[in-house]
Amino acid sequence: MSYNKGEIMGKTKSISEILNELPECVSLIADKPDYLDCQKKEIGKNITAFEAYKMMTSRQPEWLRILFKIRDNIVRPAGIRTIEGFTYLDEERIQSGETNAAHFFTITENTADKLTLEIKDSHLDVCLCLRITDNTQQPDKKMLYLIASVKNHNFWGRLYMMPVSKLHPFIVNKLFENIV
């Protein structure tokens, strides 16, 4: 069985190792993803999963905005939908149920302790699951897990994931800095 590796907390681990370390009740894109990454951060007790996502995406570094722009320019000629990065988030429409989209993701689950976001196209499917659990080390805090899983459908999906799989853990850690 072949597998890709994901970056988790500074160590390279196999998908099966990461699966064994995930908290309960997480969502993945498939039973056997081609890419799996898990990052975690200690957060305040009164933050919901959606609030954590809003904080994370409220500010993006300029280099990330440029990477999204490069990505969009490369994939546009192939007919792949552009995503434009973490631009305007219409929170009112999300809270009212008028839309189930957050940035370029579809919201498939939104509870206080879990936010599941997906995007599917002909090349690959992606799921981000933000899961909040109790922090056994510090009862006055919670743990936020961001689990990214990807299922490739073809060569283009695998090619796209080559640089993304290397950058994703770094991007998540930078966005985690926005959580206060």
Side-chain angles (χ1 to χ4, degrees):
M1 174 177 156
S2 67
Y3 56 84
N4 293 337
K5 293 187 176 182
E7 183 76 14
I8 180 170
M9 297 167 275
K11 298 177 187 172
T12 302
K13 296 190 177 187
S14 71
I15 287 176
S16 60
E17 289 173 313
I18 296 170
L19 285 170
N20 289 332
E21 296 177 359
L22 295 178
E24 292 184 7
C25 301
V26 299
S27 297
L28 301 177
I29 200 64
D31 289 336
K32 294 181 180 180
D34 295 311
Y35 172 80
L36 183 62
D37 176 54
C38 179
Q39 307 282 329
K40 67 181 181 177
K41 177 180 177 67
E42 193 173 77
I43 61 170
K45 204 167 181 100
N46 299 329
I47 298 173
T48 68
F50 184 72
E51 289 168 337
Y53 175 79
K54 284 189 323 185
M55 284 187 247
M56 287 177 61
T57 59
S58 64
R59 290 183 315 276
Q60 62 184 343
E62 182 64 17
W63 57 263
L64 182 56
R65 189 191 64 73
I66 291 168
L67 285 177
F68 277 126
K69 190 173 220 153
I70 291 168
R71 179 248 181 233
D72 286 349
N73 287 328
I74 290 171
V75 302
R76 185 178 293 117
I80 298 173
R81 181 173 68 122
T82 59
I83 57 177
E84 300 175 10
F86 298 116
T87 54
Y88 178 70
L89 180 65
D90 195 341
E91 185 180 351
E92 282 183 27
R93 289 184 66 210
I94 294 168
Q95 298 297 355
S96 71
E98 192 176 328
T99 184
N100 69 336
H103 297 110
F104 45 89
F105 293 106
T106 299
I107 300 170
T108 60
E109 187 173 11
N110 187 1
T111 65
D113 64 354
K114 185 177 177 185
L115 177 66
T116 304
L117 306 167
E118 293 184 358
I119 186 167
K120 295 182 176 190
D121 72 26
S122 60
H123 304 298
L124 53 78
D125 297 338
V126 177
C127 177
L128 289 184
C129 181
L130 285 82
R131 177 78 168 88
I132 296 176
T133 65
D134 289 329
N135 184 345
T136 56
Q137 308 293 326
Q138 286 193 299
D140 61 326
K141 301 276 187 180
K142 295 276 189 171
M143 289 302 296
L144 169 66
Y145 291 82
L146 189 143
I147 301 104
S149 58
V150 175
K151 187 68 178 173
N152 297 315
H153 298 305
N154 54 35
F155 168 79
W156 299 112
R158 289 187 296 278
L159 182 63
Y160 177 78
M161 283 306 297
M162 282 183 185
V164 172
S165 66
K166 302 297 182 215
L167 292 171
H168 189 265
F170 181 71
I171 292 168
V172 170
N173 281 322
K174 290 306 280 179
L175 296 178
F176 271 171
E177 292 174 6
N178 293 335
I179 299 176
V180 290

